[in-house]
Short mmCIF file of all heavy atoms in Angstrom, two decimals:
data_model
loop_
_atom_site.label_atom_id
_atom_site.label_comp_id
_atom_site.label_asym_id
_atom_site.label_seq_id
_atom_site.Cartn_x
_atom_site.Cartn_y
_atom_site.Cartn_z
N ALA A 1023 257.16 39.01 122.20
CA ALA A 1023 258.41 39.18 122.91
C ALA A 1023 259.29 38.04 122.44
O ALA A 1023 258.80 36.94 122.19
CB ALA A 1023 258.20 39.10 124.41
N ALA A 1024 260.56 38.29 122.28
CA ALA A 1024 261.44 37.24 121.78
C ALA A 1024 262.83 37.42 122.36
O ALA A 1024 263.22 38.52 122.74
CB ALA A 1024 261.48 37.26 120.25
N ILE A 1025 263.57 36.34 122.40
CA ILE A 1025 264.95 36.36 122.80
C ILE A 1025 265.78 36.48 121.53
O ILE A 1025 265.65 35.67 120.62
CB ILE A 1025 265.34 35.07 123.55
CG1 ILE A 1025 264.38 34.78 124.72
CG2 ILE A 1025 266.79 35.13 124.02
CD1 ILE A 1025 264.34 35.83 125.79
N GLY A 1026 266.61 37.50 121.45
CA GLY A 1026 267.46 37.71 120.28
C GLY A 1026 268.78 36.97 120.45
O GLY A 1026 268.81 35.82 120.88
N ASP A 1027 269.89 37.64 120.14
CA ASP A 1027 271.22 37.04 120.31
C ASP A 1027 271.41 36.63 121.75
O ASP A 1027 271.12 37.39 122.67
CB ASP A 1027 272.32 38.03 119.91
CG ASP A 1027 272.35 38.30 118.42
OD1 ASP A 1027 271.85 37.45 117.65
OD2 ASP A 1027 272.87 39.36 118.03
N PHE A 1028 271.93 35.42 121.97
CA PHE A 1028 272.10 34.86 123.30
C PHE A 1028 273.45 34.17 123.32
O PHE A 1028 273.66 33.20 122.59
CB PHE A 1028 270.95 33.89 123.57
CG PHE A 1028 270.90 33.28 124.95
CD1 PHE A 1028 271.56 33.84 126.03
CD2 PHE A 1028 270.14 32.15 125.17
CE1 PHE A 1028 271.49 33.28 127.29
CE2 PHE A 1028 270.04 31.59 126.42
CZ PHE A 1028 270.72 32.15 127.48
N THR A 1029 274.42 34.70 124.09
CA THR A 1029 275.78 34.18 124.05
C THR A 1029 276.40 34.08 125.44
O THR A 1029 275.92 34.70 126.39
CB THR A 1029 276.69 35.10 123.21
OG1 THR A 1029 276.69 36.40 123.79
CG2 THR A 1029 276.23 35.17 121.77
N ALA A 1030 277.47 33.32 125.54
CA ALA A 1030 278.32 33.27 126.72
C ALA A 1030 279.73 33.48 126.20
O ALA A 1030 280.29 32.63 125.52
CB ALA A 1030 278.20 31.92 127.43
N GLU A 1031 280.30 34.65 126.50
CA GLU A 1031 281.59 35.01 125.92
C GLU A 1031 282.52 35.62 126.95
O GLU A 1031 282.09 36.07 128.00
CB GLU A 1031 281.39 36.01 124.77
CG GLU A 1031 280.57 35.44 123.64
CD GLU A 1031 280.24 36.47 122.57
OE1 GLU A 1031 279.91 37.62 122.92
OE2 GLU A 1031 280.33 36.10 121.40
N THR A 1032 283.80 35.64 126.61
CA THR A 1032 284.81 36.27 127.44
C THR A 1032 285.74 37.07 126.54
O THR A 1032 285.78 36.86 125.33
CB THR A 1032 285.59 35.21 128.25
OG1 THR A 1032 286.40 35.85 129.21
CG2 THR A 1032 286.43 34.32 127.36
N MET A 1033 286.49 37.97 127.13
CA MET A 1033 287.45 38.76 126.37
C MET A 1033 288.75 37.97 126.22
O MET A 1033 289.19 37.29 127.15
CB MET A 1033 287.75 40.08 127.07
CG MET A 1033 286.62 41.07 127.05
SD MET A 1033 286.16 41.59 125.39
CE MET A 1033 287.55 42.58 124.93
N TYR A 1034 289.35 38.06 125.07
CA TYR A 1034 290.63 37.43 124.82
C TYR A 1034 291.65 38.54 124.57
O TYR A 1034 291.42 39.41 123.75
CB TYR A 1034 290.55 36.52 123.60
CG TYR A 1034 291.86 35.87 123.24
CD1 TYR A 1034 292.36 34.83 124.00
CD2 TYR A 1034 292.60 36.33 122.17
CE1 TYR A 1034 293.57 34.25 123.70
CE2 TYR A 1034 293.81 35.75 121.85
CZ TYR A 1034 294.30 34.72 122.63
OH TYR A 1034 295.50 34.14 122.32
N GLY A 1035 292.72 38.52 125.31
CA GLY A 1035 293.75 39.55 125.12
C GLY A 1035 293.41 40.81 125.90
O GLY A 1035 292.66 40.79 126.87
N ASN A 1036 293.93 41.91 125.46
CA ASN A 1036 293.71 43.21 126.09
C ASN A 1036 292.24 43.58 125.97
O ASN A 1036 291.72 43.67 124.87
CB ASN A 1036 294.60 44.25 125.39
CG ASN A 1036 294.44 45.63 125.97
OD1 ASN A 1036 293.47 45.93 126.66
ND2 ASN A 1036 295.41 46.47 125.70
N PRO A 1037 291.55 43.85 127.09
CA PRO A 1037 290.12 44.17 127.03
C PRO A 1037 289.79 45.36 126.13
O PRO A 1037 288.70 45.44 125.59
CB PRO A 1037 289.75 44.46 128.48
CG PRO A 1037 290.76 43.75 129.28
CD PRO A 1037 292.03 43.76 128.46
N GLU A 1038 290.74 46.28 125.97
CA GLU A 1038 290.45 47.44 125.13
C GLU A 1038 290.51 47.12 123.65
O GLU A 1038 289.88 47.79 122.84
CB GLU A 1038 291.41 48.58 125.48
CG GLU A 1038 291.15 49.12 126.88
CD GLU A 1038 291.97 50.35 127.19
OE1 GLU A 1038 292.44 51.00 126.24
OE2 GLU A 1038 292.13 50.64 128.37
N VAL A 1039 291.31 46.14 123.27
CA VAL A 1039 291.44 45.81 121.85
C VAL A 1039 291.16 44.34 121.58
O VAL A 1039 291.24 43.89 120.45
CB VAL A 1039 292.84 46.17 121.31
CG1 VAL A 1039 293.07 47.65 121.36
CG2 VAL A 1039 293.93 45.41 122.06
N GLY A 1040 290.85 43.58 122.63
CA GLY A 1040 290.61 42.15 122.47
C GLY A 1040 289.31 41.86 121.77
O GLY A 1040 288.52 42.74 121.47
N SER A 1041 289.09 40.60 121.51
CA SER A 1041 287.85 40.20 120.88
C SER A 1041 287.10 39.22 121.79
O SER A 1041 287.69 38.60 122.67
CB SER A 1041 288.13 39.55 119.53
OG SER A 1041 288.99 38.43 119.71
N LEU A 1042 285.81 39.12 121.57
CA LEU A 1042 285.00 38.18 122.36
C LEU A 1042 285.15 36.78 121.79
O LEU A 1042 285.10 36.58 120.58
CB LEU A 1042 283.54 38.61 122.33
CG LEU A 1042 283.23 39.92 123.05
CD1 LEU A 1042 281.77 40.31 122.83
CD2 LEU A 1042 283.53 39.80 124.52
N VAL A 1043 285.33 35.83 122.68
CA VAL A 1043 285.43 34.43 122.29
C VAL A 1043 284.54 33.62 123.22
O VAL A 1043 284.21 34.05 124.32
CB VAL A 1043 286.89 33.91 122.37
CG1 VAL A 1043 287.78 34.64 121.37
CG2 VAL A 1043 287.45 34.05 123.78
N PRO A 1044 284.12 32.43 122.78
CA PRO A 1044 283.26 31.60 123.65
C PRO A 1044 283.95 31.23 124.96
O PRO A 1044 285.17 31.07 125.01
CB PRO A 1044 283.02 30.34 122.80
CG PRO A 1044 283.26 30.78 121.39
CD PRO A 1044 284.33 31.84 121.47
N CYS A 1045 283.18 31.10 126.01
CA CYS A 1045 283.69 30.67 127.30
C CYS A 1045 284.04 29.19 127.23
O CYS A 1045 283.21 28.38 126.81
CB CYS A 1045 282.64 30.88 128.39
SG CYS A 1045 282.28 32.60 128.69
N THR A 1046 285.24 28.84 127.67
CA THR A 1046 285.65 27.43 127.68
C THR A 1046 286.48 27.09 128.91
O THR A 1046 286.83 25.93 129.10
CB THR A 1046 286.50 27.09 126.44
OG1 THR A 1046 287.63 27.96 126.40
CG2 THR A 1046 285.69 27.22 125.16
N THR A 1047 286.80 28.07 129.77
CA THR A 1047 287.77 27.85 130.83
C THR A 1047 287.19 28.13 132.21
O THR A 1047 286.70 29.24 132.48
CB THR A 1047 289.01 28.75 130.60
OG1 THR A 1047 289.50 28.52 129.28
CG2 THR A 1047 290.10 28.44 131.60
N ALA A 1048 287.28 27.13 133.09
CA ALA A 1048 286.86 27.29 134.48
C ALA A 1048 287.80 28.28 135.15
O ALA A 1048 289.00 28.29 134.89
CB ALA A 1048 286.89 25.95 135.21
N GLY A 1049 287.25 29.14 136.01
CA GLY A 1049 288.04 30.12 136.71
C GLY A 1049 288.23 31.42 135.94
O GLY A 1049 288.86 32.33 136.45
N LYS A 1050 287.71 31.51 134.73
CA LYS A 1050 287.79 32.75 133.95
C LYS A 1050 286.42 33.37 133.83
O LYS A 1050 285.42 32.68 133.62
CB LYS A 1050 288.33 32.46 132.54
CG LYS A 1050 289.82 32.37 132.47
CD LYS A 1050 290.28 32.29 131.05
CE LYS A 1050 290.79 33.64 130.61
NZ LYS A 1050 291.42 33.61 129.31
N TYR A 1051 286.38 34.69 133.91
CA TYR A 1051 285.13 35.44 133.83
C TYR A 1051 284.45 35.24 132.46
O TYR A 1051 285.10 35.25 131.42
CB TYR A 1051 285.41 36.92 134.03
CG TYR A 1051 284.25 37.81 133.69
CD1 TYR A 1051 283.19 37.97 134.57
CD2 TYR A 1051 284.19 38.46 132.46
CE1 TYR A 1051 282.11 38.78 134.25
CE2 TYR A 1051 283.12 39.27 132.12
CZ TYR A 1051 282.08 39.42 133.02
OH TYR A 1051 281.01 40.21 132.70
N CYS A 1052 283.13 35.10 132.49
CA CYS A 1052 282.31 35.03 131.29
C CYS A 1052 281.11 35.96 131.46
O CYS A 1052 280.59 36.11 132.56
CB CYS A 1052 281.76 33.62 131.07
SG CYS A 1052 283.00 32.39 130.70
N LEU A 1053 280.69 36.53 130.36
CA LEU A 1053 279.47 37.32 130.36
C LEU A 1053 278.43 36.55 129.57
O LEU A 1053 278.62 36.26 128.39
CB LEU A 1053 279.69 38.69 129.70
CG LEU A 1053 278.43 39.54 129.54
CD1 LEU A 1053 277.84 39.91 130.90
CD2 LEU A 1053 278.74 40.80 128.74
N VAL A 1054 277.35 36.18 130.23
CA VAL A 1054 276.24 35.50 129.57
C VAL A 1054 275.17 36.55 129.35
O VAL A 1054 274.76 37.22 130.30
CB VAL A 1054 275.69 34.35 130.44
CG1 VAL A 1054 274.54 33.65 129.74
CG2 VAL A 1054 276.80 33.37 130.79
N GLY A 1055 274.75 36.73 128.11
CA GLY A 1055 273.79 37.79 127.84
C GLY A 1055 272.83 37.46 126.73
O GLY A 1055 273.16 36.70 125.81
N ALA A 1056 271.63 38.00 126.85
CA ALA A 1056 270.59 37.82 125.83
C ALA A 1056 269.94 39.16 125.55
O ALA A 1056 269.56 39.88 126.48
CB ALA A 1056 269.55 36.81 126.30
N TRP A 1057 269.81 39.50 124.29
CA TRP A 1057 269.07 40.69 123.88
C TRP A 1057 267.60 40.35 123.82
O TRP A 1057 267.23 39.30 123.28
CB TRP A 1057 269.55 41.21 122.53
CG TRP A 1057 270.89 41.85 122.59
CD1 TRP A 1057 272.08 41.32 122.18
CD2 TRP A 1057 271.19 43.13 123.12
NE1 TRP A 1057 273.09 42.20 122.42
CE2 TRP A 1057 272.58 43.33 123.00
CE3 TRP A 1057 270.43 44.15 123.69
CZ2 TRP A 1057 273.22 44.49 123.42
CZ3 TRP A 1057 271.06 45.30 124.11
CH2 TRP A 1057 272.44 45.47 123.97
N LEU A 1058 266.75 41.21 124.34
CA LEU A 1058 265.32 41.02 124.31
C LEU A 1058 264.77 41.87 123.17
O LEU A 1058 265.03 43.06 123.11
CB LEU A 1058 264.70 41.42 125.65
CG LEU A 1058 265.37 40.76 126.87
CD1 LEU A 1058 264.79 41.32 128.15
CD2 LEU A 1058 265.24 39.25 126.81
N VAL A 1059 264.03 41.25 122.27
CA VAL A 1059 263.56 41.94 121.07
C VAL A 1059 262.07 41.75 120.91
O VAL A 1059 261.44 40.96 121.60
CB VAL A 1059 264.31 41.43 119.81
CG1 VAL A 1059 265.79 41.72 119.91
CG2 VAL A 1059 264.08 39.94 119.59
N GLY A 1060 261.49 42.46 119.96
CA GLY A 1060 260.06 42.31 119.68
C GLY A 1060 259.26 43.44 120.29
O GLY A 1060 259.76 44.29 121.02
N GLU A 1061 257.99 43.42 119.99
CA GLU A 1061 257.07 44.47 120.43
C GLU A 1061 257.02 44.59 121.95
O GLU A 1061 256.92 45.68 122.49
CB GLU A 1061 255.68 44.18 119.87
CG GLU A 1061 254.69 45.29 120.08
CD GLU A 1061 253.36 44.96 119.41
OE1 GLU A 1061 253.36 44.57 118.23
OE2 GLU A 1061 252.34 45.06 120.11
N ASP A 1062 257.12 43.47 122.64
CA ASP A 1062 257.06 43.47 124.10
C ASP A 1062 258.43 43.26 124.73
O ASP A 1062 258.55 42.66 125.79
CB ASP A 1062 256.10 42.37 124.58
CG ASP A 1062 254.66 42.70 124.31
OD1 ASP A 1062 254.35 43.89 124.11
OD2 ASP A 1062 253.84 41.78 124.29
N GLN A 1063 259.47 43.78 124.11
CA GLN A 1063 260.82 43.54 124.58
C GLN A 1063 261.09 44.08 125.98
O GLN A 1063 262.03 43.66 126.64
CB GLN A 1063 261.83 44.13 123.62
CG GLN A 1063 261.81 45.65 123.54
CD GLN A 1063 262.71 46.18 122.45
OE1 GLN A 1063 263.16 45.45 121.59
NE2 GLN A 1063 262.98 47.47 122.49
N HIS A 1064 260.24 44.97 126.46
CA HIS A 1064 260.45 45.56 127.79
C HIS A 1064 259.73 44.79 128.90
O HIS A 1064 259.76 45.22 130.05
CB HIS A 1064 260.00 47.02 127.79
CG HIS A 1064 260.81 47.86 126.85
ND1 HIS A 1064 262.10 48.22 127.09
CD2 HIS A 1064 260.50 48.40 125.65
CE1 HIS A 1064 262.57 48.94 126.09
NE2 HIS A 1064 261.62 49.07 125.20
N THR A 1065 259.12 43.67 128.59
CA THR A 1065 258.43 42.88 129.62
C THR A 1065 259.47 42.06 130.40
O THR A 1065 260.57 41.82 129.92
CB THR A 1065 257.36 41.96 129.00
OG1 THR A 1065 257.99 41.08 128.08
CG2 THR A 1065 256.28 42.76 128.30
N PRO A 1066 259.13 41.63 131.61
CA PRO A 1066 260.09 40.89 132.44
C PRO A 1066 260.64 39.64 131.73
O PRO A 1066 259.95 38.98 130.96
CB PRO A 1066 259.27 40.49 133.67
CG PRO A 1066 258.21 41.54 133.75
CD PRO A 1066 257.88 41.86 132.32
#
């Protein structure tokens, strides 16, 4: 089991056409996410 891409990002600009940028601002929404990869990727 392994942790793949692991980021903390927010949308910049219009959410429909904006791009993801690193979180740097207090009071702004961020999505922290990690992809789980490997043979046992479905384990807790």
Side-chain angles (χ1 to χ4, degrees):
I1025 308 298
D1027 290 338
F1028 185 19
T1029 59
E1031 298 174 318
T1032 190
M1033 289 298 290
Y1034 177 75
N1036 180 341
E1038 292 187 20
V1039 296
S1041 58
L1042 293 174
V1043 296
C1045 293
T1046 57
T1047 307
K1050 278 188 101 172
Y1051 168 80
C1052 293
L1053 175 64
V1054 180
W1057 287 104
L1058 308 174
V1059 298
E1061 189 176 310
D1062 288 341
Q1063 67 187 14
H1064 297 288
T1065 59

